[in-house]
């Protein structure tokens, strides 16, 4: 990212720019819903009227990974779907964060079978896990707050999200 | 105790309406809770199904599936089940069970009688390895095309044989997204995942049923 | 590599059971050779004949779940269509062979996750038929009420998604708003909004709370205005009507031959409904109509679902009015769990509970018994073929998914149409990937 390369070293200017950029990023996360199963329905309920996620800025749901920065993996991921998930993850530009929503995405959940990935974090990095089967919309909103905290602690020159 | 399903009019209707030479092809007839199941051998499957479809008007194939009797004391290993139904005023439903040996797990397809057999047979092939000759499209339906096993066989373990761990890990490293071996990257859940003790535990727990 | 649904049998030798068993014994590292599985290979462009092979899914906002379609396009017209499913395959049937009859209820509602209670009830009815037991009348009425509520939830969501796919996003938001009312009722009876696991073999989890009638009656008051609103918004909308009328026509003969059931079949004129043809849970005592359309296009499927919602509301009203009192669990404790109250206070109930829950004991049907039992799920006929070997787990638990047989005809319907028609047809079909792939 061009912005990070211009910033160097510590200083008052750096920390202020850090906090402004982080504030902007965390209050305008664009989720990419990778919804497969039951958790996807609860995710849709979170995006809908009663548990409105757009109160917290994450309103612009982008189905194209190139335009999103928060991947919400909701639902069970099977053998056939894992390469697709990895491909989508690779297509997202930096900076990006991942919420693994539900028991199946976090650890395989109820299904310890031959065809389900027992936790997507074996094969891609995950930032926040949401337990539940399916998690209530409030839990997903809580995960969003955790992501916002993570984003708020980021430093532009950490090199974590590319140069 | 009466069953919750009410109407199965004239339970022996399917068998009684068969001509005597076809009746001889039915080697067994069972009934449980008012549901009739006729059994026949592999070579008579097509003839009987054609008769039921064309002469007796069973025009709705509800389901095609199979059972694997590995290790049980049965005439053959596979039992293919067809659930046939006649819709309308003279509605009736029964099942036809067909014995199938594992050495020659081939049956003629019935897609020309009922189109619902196209995907029914495809799934049975995917899960059991039974080949339905003549089905125009017998690819795998639910499993990946290059999956090396048929999942619903009794000697295939529930937890699989390691296919679900055969992926690389996608990790951001600086500018790039690189793929690493999952063993090398510690994850919060997968820490210690591929230790020899874990592998042994998986092998021990993956006993076939 | 142009896929085609009707290509001749593959030339490659189909592996037999025997050869695969030896391969399994040799180990599987070989199959991880770095070659990407065919299912996600790039389907890129033409081989020079002006046709574009386009991949549609499995991750796409307009595919309802993880469905992949591969279209061969000439301009905007779809010349050949192929579908690929299995992206959500979970092994429910294999799980059925390893879990006891009581345990499998919990995974049954992960199949059709939009109407989980229908799955629970369908499975419980199947096992009860296998065992030959009958549940008390109060349990039957409660199950009917919850099934119909679940059916309303599924249909209204389908209509909402159908609207969203065609651009009418507000309809989806309204549908979700009213679904929250249904979720409140589910939460009151069993604690979970979506994956309820409410029924048990021989009964239900527990009796409903005292304020249950208030909840249901207030729902019955608040819900019907939504139907009028949706009709007003969509039927007067030229764009919606033009996009769904005469699109994706399924004839009655096709419906019969392809094994289609549920709203899709009834919208094509095929008058099948398991609630009337093979009644269960006392459906023969309720007075309701089975709406049937004749055109078989996407518009007919929309109208069919809306009319079925109205009929479900009618059934709920009748069931609430005639709700009997009494026990909710079958009184033979060799098959049904006693209530928690009894378990905590009565020694015999404790022993029955132990015997039913512990592995190796549990419910043991007759060895060799097979049953095929169907109920009317919102998608169609949800059937269970259960074979028992006398142990506490099923020997073969086959789920006959309505979505599988409904979806098989989809490639035929979209050939010759445009991509946007494919979206309209798919959303009117309402295929649920969880049930399709199990």
């Amino acid at each position: 990212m061009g912005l990070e390369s211009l910033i160097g070293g510590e200083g008052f200017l750096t920390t202020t720019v850090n906090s402004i950029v982080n504030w902007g990023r965390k209050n305008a996360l664009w989720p990419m819903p990778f919804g497969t199963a039951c958790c996807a329905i609860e995710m849709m309920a979170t995006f809908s009227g009663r548990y409105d996620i757009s109160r917290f800025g994450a309103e612009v749901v982008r189905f194209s990974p190139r335009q999103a920065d928060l991947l919400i993996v909701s639902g069970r991921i099977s053998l056939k779907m894992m390469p697709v998930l990895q491909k989508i993850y690779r297509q997202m530009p930096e900076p990006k964060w991942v919420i693994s929503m539900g028991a199946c995405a976090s650890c395989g959940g109820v299904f310890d079978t031959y065809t389900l990935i027992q936790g997507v974090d074996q094969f891609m990095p995950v930032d926040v896990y949401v337990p539940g089967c399916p998690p209530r919309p409030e839990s997903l909103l809580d995960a969003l707050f955790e992501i916002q905290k993570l984003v708020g602690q980021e430093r532009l020159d950490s090199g974590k999200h590319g140069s | 105790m009466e069953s919750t399903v009410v109407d199965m009019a004239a339970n022996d209707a399917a068998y009684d309406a068969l001509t005597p030479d076809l009746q001889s092809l039915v080697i067994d007839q069972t009934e449980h809770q008012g549901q009739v199941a006729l059994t026949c051998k592999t070579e008579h499957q097509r003839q009987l199904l054609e008769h039921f479809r064309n002469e007796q008007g069973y025009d709705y194939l509800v389901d095609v599936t199979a059972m694997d009797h590995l290790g049980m004391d049965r005439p053959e290993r596979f039992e293919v089940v067809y659930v046939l139904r006649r819709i309308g005023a003279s509605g009736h439903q029964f099942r036809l069970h067909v014995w199938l040996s594992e050495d020659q797990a081939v049956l003629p397809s019935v897609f020309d009688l009922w189109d619902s057999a196209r995907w029914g047979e495809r799934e049975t092939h995917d899960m059991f390895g039974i080949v339905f000759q003549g089905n125009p499209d017998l690819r795998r339906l639910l499993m990946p095309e290059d999956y090396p096993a048929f999942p619903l066989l009794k000697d295939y373990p529930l937890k699989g044989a390691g296919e679900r761990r055969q992926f690389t890990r996608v990790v951001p490293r600086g500018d790039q997204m690189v793929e690493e071996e999952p063993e090398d990257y510690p994850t919060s859940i997968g820490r210690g995942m591929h230790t020899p003790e874990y592998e042994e535990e998986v092998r021990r727990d993956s006993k076939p049923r | 590599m142009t896929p085609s649904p009707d290509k001749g049998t593959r030339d490659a030798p189909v592996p037999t059971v025997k050869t695969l068993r030896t391969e399994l014994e040799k180990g599987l590292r070989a199959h991880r050779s770095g070659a990407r599985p065919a299912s996600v290979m790039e389907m890129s462009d033409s081989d020079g004949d002006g046709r574009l092979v386009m991949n549609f899914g499995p991750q796409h906002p307009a595919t309802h779940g993880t469905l992949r379609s591969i279209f061969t396009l000439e301009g905007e017209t779809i010349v050949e269509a192929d579908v690929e499913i299995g992206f959500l395959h979970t092994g429910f049937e294999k799980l059925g062979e390893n879990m006891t009859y009581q345990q499998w209820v919990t995974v049954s509602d992960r199949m059709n996750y939009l109407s989980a209670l229908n799955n629970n009830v369908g499975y419980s009815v199947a096992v009860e038929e296998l065992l030959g037991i009958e549940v008390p009348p109060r349990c039957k009425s409660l199950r009917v009420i919850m099934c119909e509520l679940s059916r309303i939830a599924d249909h209204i969501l389908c209509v909402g998604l159908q609207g969203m796919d065609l651009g009418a996003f507000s309809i989806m938001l309204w549908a979700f708003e009213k679904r929250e009312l249904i979720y409140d009722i589910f939460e009151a009876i069993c604690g979970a909004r979506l994956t309820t696991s409410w029924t048990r073999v021989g009964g239900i989890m527990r009796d409903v709370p005292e304020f249950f009638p208030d909840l249901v009656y207030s729902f019955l008051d608040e819900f019907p205005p939504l139907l009028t609103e949706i009709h007003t918004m969509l039927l007067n909308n030229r764009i919606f009507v033009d996009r769904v009328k005469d699109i994706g026509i399924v004839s009655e003969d096709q419906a019969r031959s392809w094994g289609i059931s549920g709203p899709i079949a009834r919208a094509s004129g095929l008058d099948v409904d398991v609630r009337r043809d093979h009644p269960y849970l006392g459906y023969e005592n309720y007075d309701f109509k089975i709406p049937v359309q004749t055109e078989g296009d996407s518009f007919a499927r929309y109208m069919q679902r809306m009319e079925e919602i109205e009929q479900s509301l009618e059934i709920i009203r009748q069931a609430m009015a005639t709700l009997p009192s009494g026990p909710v669990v079958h009184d033979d404790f060799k098959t049904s769990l006693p209530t928690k109250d009894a378990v905590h206070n009565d020694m015999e109930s404790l022993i029955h509970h132990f015997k039913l829950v512990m592995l190796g004991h549990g419910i043991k049907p007759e060895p060799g018994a097979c049953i095929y039992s169907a109920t009317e799920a919102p998608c169609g006929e949800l059937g269970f073929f259960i074979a028992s070997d006398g142990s506490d787990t099923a020997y073969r638990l086959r789920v006959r998914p309505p979505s599988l047989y409904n979806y098989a005809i989809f490639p035929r319907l979209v050939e010759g149409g445009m991509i946007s028609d494919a979206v309209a047809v798919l959303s009117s079909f309402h295929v649920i990937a969880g049930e399709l792939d199990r």
Side-chain angles (χ1 to χ4, degrees):
Chain A
M1 290 238 352
L3 194 57
E4 275 103 358
S5 57
L6 294 177
I7 308 287
E10 285 292 329
F12 167 73
L13 189 65
T14 322
T15 47
T16 313
V17 173
N18 259 338
S19 54
I20 293 175
V21 169
N22 288 341
W23 172 82
R25 275 189 185 151
K26 75 182 181 187
N27 289 317
L29 284 166
W30 286 16
M32 156 100 193
F34 194 90
T36 40
C38 345
C39 285
I41 310 296
E42 285 297 56
M43 187 175 61
M44 288 203 268
T46 315
F47 293 157
S48 303
R50 195 187 266 200
Y51 305 98
D52 194 7
I53 206 173
S54 68
R55 299 180 273 175
F56 308 108
E59 170 175 26
V60 180
V61 175
R62 280 302 187 226
F63 287 95
S64 165
R66 308 255 183 221
Q67 300 168 5
D69 51 9
L70 175 64
L71 178 68
I72 307 181
V73 183
S74 50
R76 40 192 193 260
I77 302 292
S78 74
L79 276 183
K80 262 186 169 177
M81 202 64 182
M82 191 69 214
V84 176
L85 176 60
Q86 285 186 327
K87 189 165 186 179
I88 299 281
Y89 180 68
R90 291 168 84 140
Q91 284 178 343
M92 287 170 71
E94 296 283 0
K96 59 191 174 192
W97 296 271
V98 178
I99 293 181
S100 158
M101 175 184 178
C104 292
S106 307
C107 66
V110 202
F111 307 108
D112 191 2
T113 61
Y114 52 92
T115 166
L116 276 199
I117 306 294
Q118 304 290 299
V120 299
D121 64 336
Q122 294 175 55
F123 307 118
M124 57 185 268
V126 170
D127 293 296
V128 175
Y129 305 85
V130 191
C133 190
R136 284 193 62 103
E138 289 98 336
S139 300
L140 184 59
L141 291 175
D142 191 34
L144 183 72
F145 301 151
E146 292 289 326
I147 293 276
Q148 286 181 341
K149 274 187 227 156
L150 283 174
V151 175
Q153 291 159 11
E154 298 243 340
R155 292 184 42 192
L156 290 175
D157 54 350
S158 66
K160 182 178 171 210
H161 294 290
S163 64
Chain B
M1 294 273 196
E2 51 168 339
S3 82
T4 44
V5 168
V6 170
D7 85 326
M8 283 293 176
N11 283 322
D12 292 328
Y15 181 74
D16 292 338
L18 286 173
T19 59
D21 52 319
L22 287 178
Q23 278 189 354
S24 63
L25 300 181
V26 175
I27 53 181
D28 195 11
Q29 195 181 0
T30 53
E31 190 199 315
H32 183 71
Q33 302 293 339
Q35 293 194 8
V36 172
L38 307 176
T39 314
C40 76
K41 291 206 192 128
T42 314
E43 48 268 16
H44 305 133
Q45 169 245 15
R46 176 86 197 177
Q47 198 180 355
L48 276 171
L49 284 174
E50 273 175 7
H51 170 85
F52 284 126
R53 169 74 173 91
N54 298 327
E55 315 305 321
Q56 293 199 35
Y58 284 91
D59 50 0
Y60 196 82
L61 177 67
V62 180
D63 197 18
V64 181
T65 185
M67 289 199 276
D68 178 9
H69 292 293
L70 179 72
M72 312 277 281
D73 183 24
R74 295 297 160 90
E76 305 281 8
R77 180 173 179 185
F78 292 121
E79 192 174 348
V80 179
V81 179
Y82 294 86
V83 184
L84 298 172
R85 178 185 296 170
R86 185 168 55 208
I87 306 180
S90 60
H92 190 252
Q93 176 178 302
F94 75 102
R95 297 190 311 266
L96 181 71
H97 292 227
V98 180
W99 286 115
L100 187 64
S101 81
E102 89 174 273
D103 303 309
Q104 185 71 4
V106 179
L107 267 182
S109 166
V110 290
F111 80 97
D112 49 335
L113 301 175
W114 299 279
D115 285 300
S116 52
R118 290 172 191 250
W119 274 27
E121 290 170 353
R122 214 174 139 185
E123 194 197 329
T124 313
H125 166 73
D126 188 13
M127 291 287 128
F128 289 92
I130 297 172
V131 176
F132 290 92
Q133 237 165 14
N135 190 312
D137 186 17
L138 204 64
R139 296 173 291 169
R140 303 205 86 155
L141 190 65
L142 299 176
M143 305 307 297
E145 274 180 37
D146 53 353
Y147 199 74
F150 296 120
L152 278 175
L153 297 177
K154 290 290 181 179
D155 50 358
Y156 187 71
L158 171 68
K159 302 190 185 178
E163 299 94 350
R164 64 187 185 187
R165 293 198 298 274
Q166 309 282 345
F167 293 98
T168 53
R169 187 187 162 91
V170 173
V171 154
R173 289 263 180 269
D175 271 349
Q176 311 282 338
M177 276 280 160
V178 299
E179 294 189 357
E180 300 180 337
E181 290 295 321
E183 286 97 333
D184 301 328
Y185 197 87
T187 69
S188 58
I189 292 180
R191 202 182 296 274
M193 188 130 209
H194 300 281
T195 56
E197 293 80 24
Y198 176 79
E199 307 257 279
E200 174 53 43
E201 198 179 308
V202 169
R203 214 173 301 124
R204 192 192 56 213
D205 290 342
S206 304
K207 284 191 296 292
R209 222 186 103 71
Chain C
M1 204 194 139
T2 324
S4 156
D6 267 350
K7 262 200 155 39
T9 328
R10 289 189 312 172
D11 296 319
V14 179
T16 62
V17 175
K18 267 215 169 117
T19 55
L20 283 181
R21 255 204 302 177
T22 43
E23 271 187 36
L24 202 60
E25 281 150 23
K26 275 194 231 144
L28 290 159
R29 291 280 167 183
H31 118 274
R32 185 197 169 195
S33 57
R36 266 141 130 241
S39 53
V40 289
M41 256 201 281
E42 305 274 341
M43 303 294 278
S44 58
D45 58 3
S46 53
D47 29 337
D49 57 352
R51 292 179 167 188
L52 180 76
V53 177
M54 185 183 86
N55 184 41
F56 191 76
Q59 202 283 330
H60 194 280
T63 63
H64 289 229
T66 52
L67 308 165
R68 181 184 187 214
S69 311
I70 305 155
F71 296 141
T72 308
L73 301 170
E74 202 167 299
E76 177 116 1
T77 321
I78 298 172
V79 175
E80 276 179 64
D82 188 19
V83 297
E84 185 177 349
I85 63 176
F87 291 95
L88 207 55
H89 180 60
T90 316
F92 278 96
E93 300 185 359
K94 191 103 185 156
L95 271 176
E97 298 171 11
N98 290 280
M99 287 175 132
T100 65
Y101 291 99
Q102 293 280 11
Q103 286 174 335
W104 204 81
V105 173
T106 56
V107 297
S108 67
D109 42 25
R110 272 84 179 162
M111 283 198 305
N112 182 342
Y113 32 82
L114 295 176
S115 56
L117 274 163
N118 284 93
N119 297 14
N120 291 147
V121 169
Y123 173 68
S124 299
V125 165
V127 178
E128 283 151 17
E129 193 178 330
L130 179 70
L131 296 169
I133 65 180
E134 191 165 329
V135 291
R138 181 172 171 88
C139 175
K140 283 187 186 173
S141 296
L142 284 173
R143 280 184 180 181
V144 164
I145 296 172
M146 301 317 295
C147 270
E148 295 305 317
L149 275 174
S150 191
R151 189 188 312 276
I152 294 175
D154 195 314
H155 282 326
I156 198 71
L157 181 62
C158 172
V159 168
L161 289 177
Q162 205 175 350
M164 181 179 86
D165 282 348
L166 301 176
F169 187 62
S170 320
I171 311 284
M172 189 195 98
L173 291 176
W174 297 348
F176 265 100
E177 181 59 43
K178 287 296 184 286
R179 258 176 76 92
E180 295 286 341
L181 297 175
I182 303 182
Y183 279 169
D184 286 339
I185 302 180
F186 289 170
E187 212 176 353
I189 59 164
C190 68
R193 285 154 53 96
L194 193 70
T195 48
T196 48
S197 302
W198 182 59
T199 60
R200 302 286 180 263
V201 174
I204 53 181
M205 174 181 135
R206 58 195 293 179
D207 207 346
V208 293
E210 322 73 60
F211 54 90
F212 178 72
D214 301 328
L215 272 179
V216 176
Y217 284 124
S218 69
F219 167 77
L220 289 174
D221 288 331
E222 289 179 31
F223 190 80
L226 173 68
L227 299 175
T228 333
E229 259 187 286
I230 293 183
H231 272 310
T232 320
M233 287 298 283
L234 290 180
L235 294 183
N236 294 330
N237 187 340
R238 173 74 188 271
I239 299 177
F240 178 81
V241 174
D242 277 353
R243 280 197 73 179
V244 292
K245 255 207 189 299
D246 296 327
I247 301 294
I249 298 182
V250 178
S251 73
E252 190 187 332
D253 291 326
Q254 272 183 319
R256 189 173 291 141
S257 181
W258 286 83
I260 298 180
S261 52
I264 304 175
R266 291 193 282 276
S268 304
L270 184 65
D271 194 5
V272 284
D273 190 330
V274 185
R275 295 174 292 177
R276 181 200 52 208
D277 300 335
H278 305 277
Y280 55 97
L281 292 181
Y283 267 106
E284 62 269 17
N285 303 325
Y286 301 114
D287 176 30
F288 63 101
K289 290 189 275 297
I290 312 275
V292 175
Q293 322 288 328
T294 48
E295 304 88 23
D297 57 2
S298 303
F299 185 71
R301 293 191 272 272
Y302 158 76
M303 289 304 300
Q304 174 69 28
R305 291 199 170 95
M306 296 295 274
E307 287 178 22
E308 281 189 13
I309 295 178
E310 287 169 22
Q311 292 306 313
S312 292
L313 289 169
E314 188 52 43
I315 297 178
I316 297 177
R317 275 188 203 108
Q318 290 174 24
M320 285 300 293
T322 60
L323 185 65
S325 57
V328 287
V329 176
H330 178 64
D331 56 6
D332 177 15
F333 294 133
K334 301 260 181 315
T335 55
S336 326
L337 284 169
T339 60
K340 280 294 177 195
D341 205 32
V343 169
H344 290 316
N345 292 319
D346 180 23
M347 187 60 181
E348 252 193 56
S349 304
L350 182 66
I351 297 175
H352 287 307
H353 186 272
F354 178 88
K355 289 205 88 117
L356 279 170
V357 169
M358 281 297 154
L359 297 176
H361 300 267
I363 302 171
K364 297 196 174 164
E366 205 184 297
C370 302
I371 203 96
Y372 175 80
S373 159
T375 54
E376 181 79 14
C379 273
E381 176 183 332
L382 176 68
F384 287 93
F385 173 74
I386 308 181
S388 143
D389 60 348
S391 73
D392 58 343
T393 60
Y395 187 72
R396 171 84 172 105
L397 180 66
R398 156 77 180 169
V399 181
R400 187 259 183 208
S403 302
L404 183 79
Y405 290 99
N406 291 354
Y407 192 51
I409 200 179
F410 177 73
R412 307 269 167 127
L413 294 181
V414 298
E415 277 173 5
M418 298 193 286
I419 304 175
S420 36
D421 291 339
V423 171
V425 173
L426 184 56
S427 62
S428 78
F429 259 49
H430 197 48
V431 185
I432 300 179
E435 187 176 57
L436 180 73
D437 296 337
R438 288 151 287 125

